[in-house]
Amino acid sequence: MSDILVKIDGKDVEAREGMTILEAAQSAGISIPTLCHHEKLEPFGGCRLCIVKVQVGDWSKHVVSCVYTVEEDLIVTTRSEKIDQIRKMILELQLAHAPDSPELLAFAEEYGADKDRFEKEASFCIHCGLCVRYCDEVKKKNAVGFVDRGIRKEISFIPEVAARECWNCKECFELCPTEALQAAYVLAESLISATPSFKSEK
Ligand code: SF4
Ligand code: FES
């Protein structure tokens, strides 16, 4: 694969063909905030916090850097007033769901986001999908999935699978940006423990 030269925040970066802007930036030590990205998982592009501006010649646009792949002569800006405003809004919306998430609060401080701007709908899950995708793509177990749609969408452990697979794994816990997964697991665990047929499969 050939190298592609891009400019990120004024710095020349040699990226490999097929790399995303996020990967190219990270390889050059340039940090872009993410909530739904994980290096072991396929690009997802769900949270949009990693938005950046790209420019080639006369045209420019804002793109999701964890999905957008590098092109020759691309000029990337990872921080601007507009980018910060977009990230601030995303964080304020997410904080309505998970107001106590340390990760969100740290980003909120950086981008001046007001955690009380929107009415609280504390589901404690921001739908980043990290737990669901990790269990699918890395563990290949599909013990956790999304149920329902739209604003009612939430994660749920599949009791039959969770009873068999989760006890000795729990690798998804540390991925969750809101730390809600652990609570969900504890809930699932208590439900499973209360059901004799699942208990015997443990
Ligand atoms: S429980 Fe956590 S890791 Fe799973 S989708 Fe929700 S926020 Fe993401
Ligand atoms: S990290 Fe890129 S969209 Fe979430």
Side-chain angles (χ1 to χ4, degrees):
M1 278 193 199
S2 52
D3 280 348
I4 292 181
L5 190 63
V6 294
K7 206 179 261 301
I8 308 180
D9 293 345
K11 185 174 179 180
D12 286 334
V13 177
E14 273 187 15
R16 286 189 318 279
E17 197 180 335
M19 253 185 172
T20 63
I21 292 174
L22 177 67
E23 289 168 334
Q26 287 174 336
S27 75
I30 297 167
S31 161
I32 297 175
T34 66
L35 282 172
C36 69
H37 172 77
H38 189 285
E39 58 280 4
K40 288 189 180 166
L41 303 179
E42 290 296 317
F44 181 59
C47 73
R48 305 186 73 78
L49 194 67
C50 66
I51 200 154
V52 296
K53 182 176 149 195
V54 292
Q55 188 181 344
V56 179
D58 288 342
W59 68 262
S60 68
K61 61 179 173 177
H62 287 84
V63 300
V64 171
S65 67
C66 67
V67 172
Y68 199 94
T69 49
V70 291
E71 299 163 22
E72 197 65 54
D73 297 327
L74 203 63
I75 298 171
V76 181
T77 306
T78 69
R79 198 102 193 227
S80 70
E81 200 175 318
K82 179 160 184 188
I83 291 168
D84 282 12
Q85 267 176 11
I86 295 170
R87 289 182 184 156
K88 175 175 176 290
M89 172 69 86
I90 290 169
L91 291 165
E92 285 171 344
L93 288 165
Q94 301 286 31
L95 280 159
H97 294 286
D100 301 320
S101 157
E103 198 167 333
L104 287 181
L105 289 171
F107 281 139
E109 194 169 328
E110 187 174 351
Y111 290 95
D114 175 1
K115 79 180 180 68
D116 299 315
R117 176 161 177 204
F118 294 107
E119 198 178 330
K120 298 281 173 294
E121 297 168 26
S123 58
F124 305 103
C125 173
I126 60 167
H127 304 157
C128 72
L130 283 172
C131 56
V132 175
R133 290 180 291 128
Y134 188 86
C135 196
D136 174 19
E137 294 174 32
V138 177
K139 304 301 293 186
K140 312 227 178 287
K141 300 297 183 193
N142 297 100
V144 56
F146 281 114
V147 291
D148 234 323
R149 287 169 168 230
I151 54 166
R152 285 203 298 277
K153 183 165 135 179
E154 58 185 37
I155 62 134
S156 176
F157 285 86
I158 318 301
E160 297 84 345
V161 186
R164 226 176 25 244
E165 307 291 348
C166 298
W167 307 99
N168 297 319
C169 174
K170 305 184 180 94
E171 288 171 28
C172 58
F173 283 13
E174 64 194 49
L175 307 182
C176 178
T178 75
E179 297 179 357
L181 188 59
Q182 187 137 5
Y185 183 77
V186 171
L187 179 62
E189 193 175 36
S190 63
L191 289 174
I192 290 164
S193 305
T195 311
S197 62
F198 291 151
K199 242 174 157 177
S200 61
E201 286 178 42
K202 212 176 110 177

